[in-house]
Amino acid sequence: MHSIHPLFWCVPVGSVVALAFAWYFFRQMMAEDEGTETMRKIAAHVRAGAYAYLRQQYKVVGIVFIVITLVFMFLAYGLKLQNPWVPFAFLTGGFFSGLAGFFGMKTATYASARAANAAKDSLDHGLRVAFRSGAVMGLVVVGLGLLDISIWFLVLSHFYPIGEAEGHNLIIITTTMLTFGMGASLQALFARVGGGIFTKAADVGADLVGKVEAGIPEDDPRNPATIADNVGDNVGDVAGMGADLYESYCGSILATASLGAAAFLGAGTDVQMKAVIAPMLIGAFGTLLSILGIFSVRVQKGADSKALLGALGKGINVSSALIIVFSALVLYFLKIPNWYGIWGAIVVGLITGIVIGRATEYYTSQAYRPTQRIAEQAKTGPATVIIAGMGEGMLSVAYPVLAVCVGTTLAYLLATGFTFDSDTMSQGLYGIGIAAVGMLSTLGITLATDAYGPIADNAGGNAEMSGLDPEVRRRTDMLDSLGNTTAATGKGFAIGSAALTALALLASYIEELKIGINRVMAQLGEFTFPDKTVVHSANEVTNLSLFDMMNVFEVNLMNPKVIIGLFLGCMMAFLFCGLTMNAVGRAASQMVDEVRRQFKEIPGILESKAEPDYARCVTISTFAAQKEMLFPALTAVIVPVLVGIVFGVPGVLGLLGGALAGGFALAVFMANSGGAWDNAKKYIEEGHHGGKGSEAHKASVIGDTVGDPFKDTSGPSLNILIKLMSMVSIVVAGVTVSFSLL
Amino acid sequence: MHSIHPLFWCVPVGSVVALAFAWYFFRQMMAEDEGTETMRKIAAHVRAGAYAYLRQQYKVVGIVFIVITLVFMFLAYGLKLQNPWVPFAFLTGGFFSGLAGFFGMKTATYASARAANAAKDSLDHGLRVAFRSGAVMGLVVVGLGLLDISIWFLVLSHFYPIGEAEGHNLIIITTTMLTFGMGASLQALFARVGGGIFTKAADVGADLVGKVEAGIPEDDPRNPATIADNVGDNVGDVAGMGADLYESYCGSILATASLGAAAFLGAGTDVQMKAVIAPMLIGAFGTLLSILGIFSVRVQKGADSKALLGALGKGINVSSALIIVFSALVLYFLKIPNWYGIWGAIVVGLITGIVIGRATEYYTSQAYRPTQRIAEQAKTGPATVIIAGMGEGMLSVAYPVLAVCVGTTLAYLLATGFTFDSDTMSQGLYGIGIAAVGMLSTLGITLATDAYGPIADNAGGNAEMSGLDPEVRRRTDMLDSLGNTTAATGKGFAIGSAALTALALLASYIEELKIGINRVMAQLGEFTFPDKTVVHSANEVTNLSLFDMMNVFEVNLMNPKVIIGLFLGCMMAFLFCGLTMNAVGRAASQMVDEVRRQFKEIPGILESKAEPDYARCVTISTFAAQKEMLFPALTAVIVPVLVGIVFGVPGVLGLLGGALAGGFALAVFMANSGGAWDNAKKYIEEGHHGGKGSEAHKASVIGDTVGDPFKDTSGPSLNILIKLMSMVSIVVAGVTVSFSLL
């Protein structure tokens, strides 16, 4: 392992620093006062519910992971079709992803009452507590991500030493590490889907009976589903998002590293090594700069909401500007060939993320026409609100898609030196991958601004239930709505990076195929491709460019297998959303029935004379989520395997391409429709079209309820679905290759 | 032109017979009594509105057609980049498609009062009048389609004689004829989008103010939008559908003919000719058998609704069974190589259509669980109805996609003799094309059962407005609901054939590229492909297989241009739906305002003392539709051209693939969600969950209203969008090739 580049050590250092600061911010938050007895009690209720949910969730997920690990062990040790490290890498990915979610949730459940209590003091004190708690989550996610990457890189480079002549080992190391990406993806999918179903079942149920039927306000302690609703924010928006972004972060770095190993194979191990560690270094420096950015979020005592938003924006801008400078320095000192082109790709990635974020904001914020148009349609009732929200959401797909297309093209061309030549293809794809890394490099702080939203939301819930002064609630609402604006940018980065990462993963799949072919060739002496080309040596396989591989596997758009794959890929996106939407619908129905039952059977709830049975609602959401999350998640694992067996490599690549293009459009549509309905309601509540209590308001509440599963369950899960299907295909590529010989 | 195969003459004969029977049925319908003075007056109102709309529509579309024709003339005669027949073929396609819509609408507007009057007599008399009028439309569509095909085939084979050695001329003839497919597609898109916006604006507007606010029943003469609503059924569901299916019918036959010319190029002109006329013959015989089927729809006097449904089903089954037998005979006598395989593909096509139809029925009929589940969710209000409808609609994508995948694979394998070898690829694609032709072969009768629905609907409107006995309305409602069931099958055939035809068109695009390359080569002496391959002679180009063409143009899934194309294709589907949804929303809002204004400003409307201003509502819908249809339709024309210029052949094929896979899924989702909401409402109206007037019913009415633009505007337009984009790409392929040299 003599030849690991010395700069690599920045990565574990970055990881440790991130985790240390996470710990520091956590202690700082814990040192705050948790407020009155009632506040503590409510926070304890929510915490207990969240823990109970997570325990149940990890139990179910644990079983799935054990089964899949056993299958991988059989494939690796029994049939010798797979790399022996796969089962372990897979497990750690899942474990760390779950851990990131757990720490985030733990912090959030301790922070909510403290943030509410701080908001009693002042708006800026509230922001500080909530934002620093969000920062814990941001730093835990990137810290654990870099830790997992560092450990595996060191371990594997011990077993596959990287000498001058062993460029292949770097390919094996990086593609093996992708397996832990699959573990992280699967965990993330469970967390997002399960958490999403939990939170929206509780939310929809609480709103429909509480707000609409009983006419009591949001977060009212008389509503039996209100604790479940607050638990939901923690398990869905915090734990789910943590696992999700852990996966995005690691996925983009690992995919790029693996592409780097492949793209620079011919240039010598030294250059290859640099290309592999470059994305990790960008991540490490981005983390350090994020910490700087977090500290730069300071507000004067008594600052107003505009100043707060300015402070948050400043934090992100400082980190982003610095990462542009630092990544140039890192690449320059690494002396990667064409470093300025690769640096350009990173900048393009950052800008693409910002553009998508701005587009998201335009289509979902009440400050702009689309959301206002939806609010206007509320005057003619719920039907027109829904139609308008769907229409605007579908239109909103255009800008993000165009941004991804332009960003991809530029990143590709910058990395190849402005040519579409087939020989520089791998470098171009490396450029696309590193653009995704650039987009996510400052995740430490963008995630902090994202995660602080649900914390503020929960603080508001706590304030309401504890009967604090309405001014406190007003302040937490303001914090929450600030969070919505910064979250739009965060969502842009999440979905944009998913698209670019998935693109890069397509190329990693091809590299993994080559490894599978070599394994087969080692046993049979030769390998025949579908187009009848025969290879006899590992060298011949290595020399096949990505385009050559496409030709020999006949992965072109006239091949019906590719077209069938495209159809199935788009279908998967819709099927997945249909399953999760229906799951929310069913679970919400159960919740509605339960809340109605409690109102009827427990006398005195509405007069605050009796306490509702909160725990029962939490249990309903928990079990509904567990039951409903299994089928969609397992479908995502099984379909790529089946398609690989039946339609081979062309089918798999079609499937992934279809899921990527179709899933991206569907995800943007659902997220933006949902967000716009939410804010159209808020716009009306601000006093437009009759304000609160008007017919238009009632119509907009219906729009908001429809939007809940759109934006918090189905939409965000699609990001992960796209990547999980790619990861699964990569991990079972060797099996697909063997089947193609039957 | 000595070598046109004698069996070809069956095609013009089929056309003339179809048109003759259409005329016969039309006269038969006109001979019926139109009923009372009021009934005649109302029918005249609706007729006048429909004519006014169509006049306006054809004016706008005429201008667009003239502009595009001028562009084509410049390309063909000025720049010599295109076949000189293109401008004329394009014009006739548009003209005949419009004519099919016009005749259908004319018949429908004359038939509605007559059908209502016949229903006074008995249910079966009503059915006879409505169904025979629907048959006029079915036969006009196929008759005009076969006529256009016959004329152009004869004209072009005069100018490009088909001797022993001139196999290329058949390719030129068939691909030129595809241009008239583009004219038909464009006309169809305008008809569907414009008609769809008109009808749903009127429908939503009439429902929201009339039914919900004023509490008057559907089709009440006091509602100012009620005439517009009935006009809408004629211009959207009749004229729009007529133009749409004219395009599907011709598109599938022409795409298959063009593939046949290419696939059997090596086998000699004789075989090639047979492959070209085979799809035409299937169409011609299908038409004759449809007429037989139409006559077999006979019911006993006093038959109940089950007997009527049985009769309709029998008609379709008779035609389908006979076409299976006759197509075997036709292919056998033609002596096409592997005739039984091609026959197998036809059978697969028919079965695929039936499977998709059944799946559609399962997901949208109140007889099955999905729609019942949606109705159940109405108990908890409109939000859960909408969520459930979206969820079920998204799930419903799975079966049709799987049916298309299995159908495609089987048709392909049957036509190649069970191999995926790249040399037999063209034959396989021919198999897919002819499967689409098989699916649509009995369009004469399936369209009759489809078109009779809106006629029955209008008859009901007429009965209501004329104050006929409620029993008459009950009978027309029963006819209408029978129509819904058969229409599900019709929709399955429409969308399934669109998918298969679009697939076949991808291959036609490649053939057209070859012609473009030859044209360039004739001027420059050589042609260099993107992968640096150079060709010097037409022969070299001809010898390139479809897979070779993919390789030299680098159309594989690792090419970022292909991926960008995929993204843009999916985006187009969403963008298009967003535009049309918003258009309906905006137009409906105008209608709501107008109806409210009339109720307020014209005293005595609600007491039936004053007549509302029906014409004003018709005018609003007309101008809204005209204004709103232009942008989406022109986007569909311009985007493929732009993508071709910027990203070349890989970009275009990616675009078409993405639009096909993404658009198909989106179309199925929207059509089925809309249909299911409609029937969930009907299910509740039948007395479930509280029946009419209950809260659940109100919630389901909102679902139905949201579903209106889903199922009647955006969803069905997507079918055409997919094919129009392919047609445009084919027509401008020569231009793309020239640009690729810049």
Side-chain angles (χ1 to χ4, degrees):
Chain A
M1 44 187 291
H2 62 104
S3 66
I4 283 188
H5 195 284
L7 268 178
F8 165 78
W9 295 101
C10 295
V11 183
V13 169
S15 157
V16 171
V17 172
L19 293 174
F21 272 97
W23 176 247
Y24 167 71
F25 290 138
F26 179 71
R27 297 306 318 165
Q28 213 181 34
M29 179 273 288
M30 290 301 280
E32 294 278 338
D33 183 9
E34 207 179 359
T36 66
E37 186 57 36
T38 324
M39 289 170 77
R40 283 163 200 264
K41 207 187 78 188
I42 288 164
H45 263 312
V46 173
R47 193 153 52 233
Y51 278 43
Y53 171 77
L54 230 54
R55 210 173 306 121
Q56 184 60 30
Q57 161 112 346
Y58 289 158
K59 219 182 280 171
V60 176
V61 174
I63 295 171
V64 173
F65 266 77
I66 289 171
V67 171
I68 296 183
T69 305
L70 288 177
V71 172
F72 283 151
M73 286 192 150
F74 175 68
L75 288 173
Y77 298 102
L79 299 180
K80 301 214 180 301
L81 285 175
Q82 227 172 22
N83 187 312
W85 295 97
V86 161
F88 308 103
F90 172 72
L91 269 184
T92 60
F95 177 75
F96 275 85
S97 170
L99 208 60
F102 172 76
F103 282 139
M105 205 198 69
K106 181 173 173 170
T107 311
T109 53
Y110 279 106
S112 60
R114 289 176 171 86
N117 196 54
K120 276 204 270 185
D121 180 17
S122 71
L123 188 61
D124 61 280
H125 192 184
L127 173 74
R128 207 162 54 235
V129 173
F131 179 68
R132 290 281 165 97
S133 309
V136 175
M137 158 104 135
L139 293 175
V140 162
V141 164
V142 296
L144 288 179
L146 294 174
L147 187 66
D148 204 3
I149 291 173
S150 306
I151 295 176
W152 275 105
F153 192 67
L154 290 171
V155 169
L156 289 171
S157 60
H158 179 74
F159 286 92
Y160 301 92
I162 308 152
E164 264 315 303
E166 282 113 347
H168 285 288
N169 278 353
L170 259 177
I171 294 187
I172 293 179
I173 291 172
T174 50
T175 46
T176 307
M177 285 168 76
L178 272 177
T179 331
F180 99 62
M182 175 184 163
S185 289
L186 186 59
Q187 175 72 262
L189 194 70
F190 277 118
R192 262 292 187 205
V193 173
I197 294 171
F198 185 114
T199 181
K200 290 306 131 181
D203 194 359
V204 172
D207 282 4
L208 284 179
V209 192
K211 277 208 267 190
V212 180
E213 294 182 11
I216 54 181
E218 179 133 12
D219 292 320
D220 193 291
R222 290 171 291 176
N223 191 335
T226 193
I227 292 281
D229 189 8
N230 278 281
V231 170
D233 292 340
N234 286 296
V235 302
D237 297 348
V238 180
M241 183 160 59
D244 179 353
L245 285 163
Y246 174 85
E247 182 270 345
S248 301
Y249 188 71
C250 295
S252 68
I253 293 178
L254 294 174
T256 312
S258 129
L259 276 179
F264 297 94
L265 182 60
T269 322
D270 182 45
V271 176
Q272 220 190 344
M273 169 62 88
K274 289 172 180 172
V276 167
I277 65 168
M280 303 178 189
L281 287 175
I282 306 294
F285 278 91
T287 301
L288 300 177
L289 298 171
S290 293
I291 297 172
L292 215 71
I294 290 168
F295 275 104
S296 83
V297 176
R298 286 179 177 281
V299 276
Q300 301 293 319
K301 266 207 182 309
D304 63 351
S305 90
K306 209 174 151 190
L308 297 186
L309 188 60
L312 287 179
K314 194 183 137 210
I316 296 184
N317 289 342
V318 164
S319 308
S320 302
L322 287 176
I323 192 72
I324 290 182
V325 177
F326 271 78
S327 56
L329 292 176
V330 168
L331 292 170
Y332 176 74
F333 281 113
L334 263 182
K335 296 196 183 59
I336 289 195
N338 182 27
W339 68 268
Y340 38 86
I342 292 173
W343 175 71
I346 293 177
V347 177
V348 164
L350 268 167
I351 293 173
T352 305
I354 291 170
V355 169
I356 299 178
R358 285 275 164 283
T360 308
E361 205 186 318
Y362 174 72
Y363 274 102
T364 59
S365 156
Q366 61 262 55
Y368 299 100
R369 287 293 299 147
T371 302
Q372 292 171 6
R373 274 197 291 263
I374 297 172
E376 233 169 83
Q377 294 283 359
K379 288 189 292 183
T380 38
T384 39
V385 169
I386 305 278
I387 292 176
M390 305 274 302
E392 296 293 344
M394 286 177 163
L395 286 185
S396 77
V397 170
Y399 288 123
V401 168
L402 293 176
V404 165
C405 290
V406 172
T408 312
T409 310
L410 283 181
Y412 184 96
L413 289 175
L414 282 163
T416 60
F418 286 90
T419 158
F420 269 119
D421 260 13
S422 59
D423 352 328
T424 52
M425 169 122 267
S426 300
Q427 279 92 317
L429 291 167
Y430 181 72
I432 293 175
I434 210 150
V437 174
M439 217 185 260
L440 289 178
S441 58
T442 54
L443 185 68
I445 184 162
T446 49
L447 186 51
T449 59
D450 226 6
Y452 113 101
I455 295 173
D457 192 358
N458 254 267
N462 193 299
E464 187 82 35
M465 284 186 272
S466 316
L468 296 189
D469 192 79
E471 174 61 18
V472 179
R473 172 74 197 214
R474 211 187 53 75
R475 285 181 189 157
T476 57
D477 275 357
M478 199 181 286
L479 291 177
D480 186 13
S481 101
L482 280 186
N484 282 343
T485 311
T486 50
T489 320
K491 275 183 190 161
F493 280 67
I495 198 158
S497 67
L500 298 192
T501 305
L503 251 164
L505 287 174
L506 291 183
S508 304
Y509 173 66
I510 303 300
E511 293 309 322
E512 189 69 33
L513 280 180
K514 287 187 179 177
I515 297 178
I517 292 167
N518 283 335
R519 200 171 292 122
V520 169
M521 220 159 35
Q523 290 176 9
L524 303 182
E526 62 168 38
F527 184 87
T528 310
F529 287 103
D531 82 330
K532 313 268 180 346
T533 304
V534 183
V535 285
H536 299 88
S537 74
N539 242 356
E540 278 178 273
V541 176
T542 307
N543 288 336
L544 292 172
S545 73
L546 284 174
F547 269 10
D548 294 335
M549 285 290 279
M550 293 294 100
N551 292 350
V552 293
F553 274 112
E554 303 181 329
V555 188
N556 62 59
L557 278 182
M558 276 299 121
N559 190 336
K561 295 177 185 175
V562 172
I563 304 276
I564 287 174
L566 285 177
F567 270 109
L568 292 174
C570 285
M571 179 199 87
M572 277 302 289
F574 280 89
L575 180 65
F576 189 81
C577 286
L579 289 170
T580 48
M581 293 278 292
N582 274 351
V584 170
R586 272 192 296 267
S589 274
Q590 280 185 51
M591 190 63 80
V592 165
D593 289 342
E594 171 62 20
V595 174
R596 282 183 182 161
R597 186 194 68 79
Q598 291 201 19
F599 279 150
K600 214 170 65 188
E601 295 181 9
I602 309 178
I605 289 190
L606 279 173
E607 297 78 37
S608 305
K609 285 178 193 154
E611 192 172 74
D613 185 354
Y614 300 126
R616 179 93 183 240
C617 292
V618 173
T619 313
I620 286 179
S621 255
T622 301
F623 284 94
Q626 297 314 309
K627 203 184 105 201
E628 302 278 5
M629 76 180 180
L630 268 179
F631 183 68
L634 292 183
T635 310
V637 174
I638 291 166
V639 166
V641 179
L642 281 184
V643 170
I645 291 172
V646 179
F647 294 107
V649 175
V652 170
L653 280 167
L655 175 78
L656 300 181
L660 172 56
F664 182 78
L666 192 57
V668 172
F669 152 56
M670 296 190 86
N672 286 355
S673 282
W677 276 317
D678 188 352
N679 285 330
K681 183 194 71 177
K682 290 197 176 130
Y683 182 73
I684 292 178
E685 285 172 353
E686 285 166 11
H688 301 90
H689 309 305
K692 264 194 179 176
S694 64
E695 282 304 311
H697 183 240
K698 277 184 202 153
S700 72
V701 169
I702 291 171
D704 180 34
T705 312
V706 171
D708 272 339
F710 269 58
K711 72 178 197 300
D712 293 320
T713 313
S714 305
S717 312
L718 277 174
N719 288 346
I720 314 175
L721 174 80
I722 296 168
K723 284 178 286 176
L724 177 59
M725 296 216 300
S726 310
M727 292 283 187
V728 172
S729 305
I730 290 172
V731 174
V732 301
V735 185
T736 313
V737 166
S738 307
F739 260 93
S740 77
L741 296 178
L742 296 183
Chain B
M1 42 188 293
H2 62 105
S3 66
I4 283 188
H5 196 284
L7 268 178
F8 165 77
W9 295 99
C10 295
V11 183
V13 169
S15 158
V16 171
V17 172
L19 293 173
F21 272 96
W23 176 248
Y24 167 71
F25 290 139
F26 180 70
R27 297 307 317 167
Q28 214 181 31
M29 180 272 290
M30 291 300 280
E32 295 276 338
D33 184 10
E34 207 177 358
T36 67
E37 185 58 36
T38 324
M39 290 169 75
R40 283 162 200 264
K41 209 186 79 189
I42 288 163
H45 263 310
V46 172
R47 194 154 50 234
Y51 277 43
Y53 171 77
L54 230 54
R55 209 174 306 124
Q56 184 61 30
Q57 161 112 344
Y58 288 159
K59 217 182 279 170
V60 175
V61 174
I63 295 170
V64 174
F65 266 77
I66 289 171
V67 171
I68 295 183
T69 306
L70 288 177
V71 172
F72 282 152
M73 286 194 148
F74 175 67
L75 288 173
Y77 298 103
L79 300 180
K80 300 215 180 301
L81 286 175
Q82 228 172 22
N83 186 312
W85 295 96
V86 160
F88 308 103
F90 171 72
L91 269 184
T92 61
F95 178 74
F96 275 84
S97 169
L99 207 60
F102 173 75
F103 282 139
M105 206 197 69
K106 182 172 173 171
T107 311
T109 53
Y110 278 107
S112 61
R114 290 177 170 85
N117 198 54
K120 277 204 273 187
D121 181 16
S122 71
L123 189 59
D124 61 279
H125 192 185
L127 173 74
R128 207 163 53 236
V129 173
F131 178 68
R132 289 281 166 98
S133 309
V136 175
M137 159 106 134
L139 294 175
V140 162
V141 164
V142 296
L144 288 179
L146 294 175
L147 186 66
D148 205 1
I149 291 172
S150 305
I151 294 175
W152 275 106
F153 192 68
L154 289 171
V155 168
L156 289 172
S157 61
H158 179 74
F159 285 92
Y160 301 92
I162 310 152
E164 265 315 303
E166 282 114 349
H168 285 288
N169 278 353
L170 260 176
I171 294 187
I172 293 179
I173 291 172
T174 49
T175 46
T176 307
M177 285 169 76
L178 272 177
T179 331
F180 100 63
M182 174 181 163
S185 290
L186 186 59
Q187 175 73 261
L189 194 70
F190 276 118
R192 261 294 186 205
V193 173
I197 294 171
F198 184 113
T199 181
K200 290 306 133 182
D203 194 358
V204 172
D207 282 5
L208 284 179
V209 191
K211 276 207 267 189
V212 180
E213 294 183 10
I216 54 180
E218 180 131 11
D219 293 321
D220 193 291
R222 291 170 290 176
N223 191 335
T226 193
I227 292 281
D229 189 6
N230 278 281
V231 170
D233 292 341
N234 286 295
V235 302
D237 297 349
V238 180
M241 183 160 57
D244 178 352
L245 284 163
Y246 174 86
E247 181 270 346
S248 302
Y249 189 70
C250 295
S252 68
I253 293 178
L254 294 173
T256 313
S258 129
L259 277 179
F264 297 92
L265 183 59
T269 323
D270 183 43
V271 176
Q272 219 189 348
M273 168 62 88
K274 290 173 180 173
V276 167
I277 65 168
M280 303 177 188
L281 287 175
I282 306 293
F285 279 90
T287 301
L288 300 176
L289 298 171
S290 292
I291 297 172
L292 215 70
I294 290 168
F295 275 104
S296 82
V297 176
R298 287 180 176 281
V299 276
Q300 301 293 318
K301 269 215 180 307
D304 62 352
S305 90
K306 211 174 150 190
L308 297 186
L309 189 60
L312 287 179
K314 196 184 134 210
I316 296 184
N317 290 343
V318 164
S319 308
S320 303
L322 287 176
I323 192 70
I324 290 181
V325 176
F326 270 79
S327 56
L329 291 176
V330 168
L331 293 169
Y332 176 75
F333 281 115
L334 263 183
K335 297 194 184 60
I336 289 194
N338 182 28
W339 69 268
Y340 38 87
I342 292 173
W343 174 72
I346 293 176
V347 177
V348 164
L350 268 168
I351 294 173
T352 306
I354 291 170
V355 170
I356 299 179
R358 285 278 163 280
T360 309
E361 206 187 318
Y362 174 73
Y363 274 103
T364 58
S365 156
Q366 61 262 52
Y368 299 98
R369 288 293 300 148
T371 301
Q372 292 171 4
R373 276 197 290 264
I374 297 172
E376 232 169 85
Q377 294 282 0
K379 288 189 292 182
T380 37
T384 39
V385 168
I386 305 278
I387 293 176
M390 305 275 302
E392 296 292 344
M394 286 177 164
L395 287 185
S396 78
V397 170
Y399 289 123
V401 167
L402 293 176
V404 165
C405 290
V406 172
T408 312
T409 310
L410 283 180
Y412 183 96
L413 289 175
L414 281 163
T416 58
F418 287 89
T419 158
F420 269 119
D421 260 15
S422 59
D423 351 328
T424 52
M425 169 121 267
S426 300
Q427 280 91 317
L429 291 167
Y430 181 72
I432 293 175
I434 210 150
V437 174
M439 217 185 259
L440 288 178
S441 58
T442 54
L443 186 69
I445 184 162
T446 49
L447 187 51
T449 59
D450 226 6
Y452 113 101
I455 294 172
D457 191 358
N458 255 266
N462 194 299
E464 187 82 35
M465 283 185 274
S466 317
L468 296 189
D469 192 76
E471 175 60 19
V472 179
R473 173 74 198 215
R474 213 188 50 76
R475 286 182 189 157
T476 58
D477 275 359
M478 200 180 283
L479 290 176
D480 186 14
S481 102
L482 281 186
N484 283 344
T485 313
T486 51
T489 320
K491 275 183 189 161
F493 280 66
I495 199 157
S497 67
L500 298 192
T501 304
L503 251 164
L505 287 173
L506 291 183
S508 303
Y509 173 66
I510 303 298
E511 293 309 322
E512 190 68 35
L513 281 180
K514 287 186 179 176
I515 297 178
I517 292 166
N518 283 335
R519 199 171 293 123
V520 169
M521 220 160 33
Q523 289 176 10
L524 303 181
E526 62 168 39
F527 183 86
T528 310
F529 287 103
D531 82 331
K532 313 266 176 0
T533 304
V534 183
V535 285
H536 298 88
S537 75
N539 242 357
E540 277 178 90
V541 176
T542 307
N543 287 336
L544 292 172
S545 73
L546 285 175
F547 270 12
D548 294 336
M549 286 290 279
M550 293 294 100
N551 292 351
V552 293
F553 274 111
E554 303 182 329
V555 188
N556 62 59
L557 279 182
M558 276 300 120
N559 190 336
K561 294 177 185 173
V562 172
I563 304 274
I564 286 175
L566 284 178
F567 270 110
L568 293 174
C570 285
M571 178 198 88
M572 277 301 290
F574 280 90
L575 180 66
F576 189 80
C577 285
L579 289 170
T580 47
M581 293 278 291
N582 274 351
V584 170
R586 271 191 298 267
S589 274
Q590 279 184 49
M591 189 63 79
V592 166
D593 288 343
E594 172 62 19
V595 175
R596 283 182 181 163
R597 186 195 67 79
Q598 291 200 19
F599 278 149
K600 213 169 65 187
E601 295 183 6
I602 309 179
I605 289 189
L606 280 173
E607 297 79 36
S608 305
K609 285 179 192 153
E611 192 172 74
D613 186 353
Y614 299 127
R616 181 95 184 239
C617 292
V618 173
T619 312
I620 286 178
S621 255
T622 302
F623 283 95
Q626 297 313 310
K627 202 182 107 200
E628 302 277 5
M629 77 181 178
L630 268 179
F631 183 67
L634 292 182
T635 310
V637 174
I638 291 167
V639 166
V641 178
L642 282 184
V643 170
I645 291 172
V646 179
F647 295 106
V649 174
V652 170
L653 280 166
L655 176 77
L656 300 181
L660 172 55
F664 181 78
L666 192 56
V668 172
F669 152 55
M670 296 190 84
N672 286 355
S673 283
W677 277 317
D678 189 351
N679 285 329
K681 182 194 71 178
K682 290 197 176 130
Y683 182 74
I684 292 178
E685 285 172 354
E686 284 166 11
H688 300 89
H689 309 306
K692 264 195 176 174
S694 64
E695 282 304 311
H697 183 239
K698 277 184 200 153
S700 72
V701 169
I702 291 171
D704 180 34
T705 312
V706 171
D708 272 340
F710 269 58
K711 71 179 197 302
D712 293 321
T713 312
S714 305
S717 312
L718 277 174
N719 289 347
I720 314 174
L721 175 79
I722 296 168
K723 284 177 286 176
L724 177 59
M725 296 215 302
S726 310
M727 291 282 186
V728 172
S729 306
I730 291 172
V731 174
V732 301
V735 184
T736 313
V737 166
S738 307
F739 260 94
S740 76
L741 296 178
L742 295 183

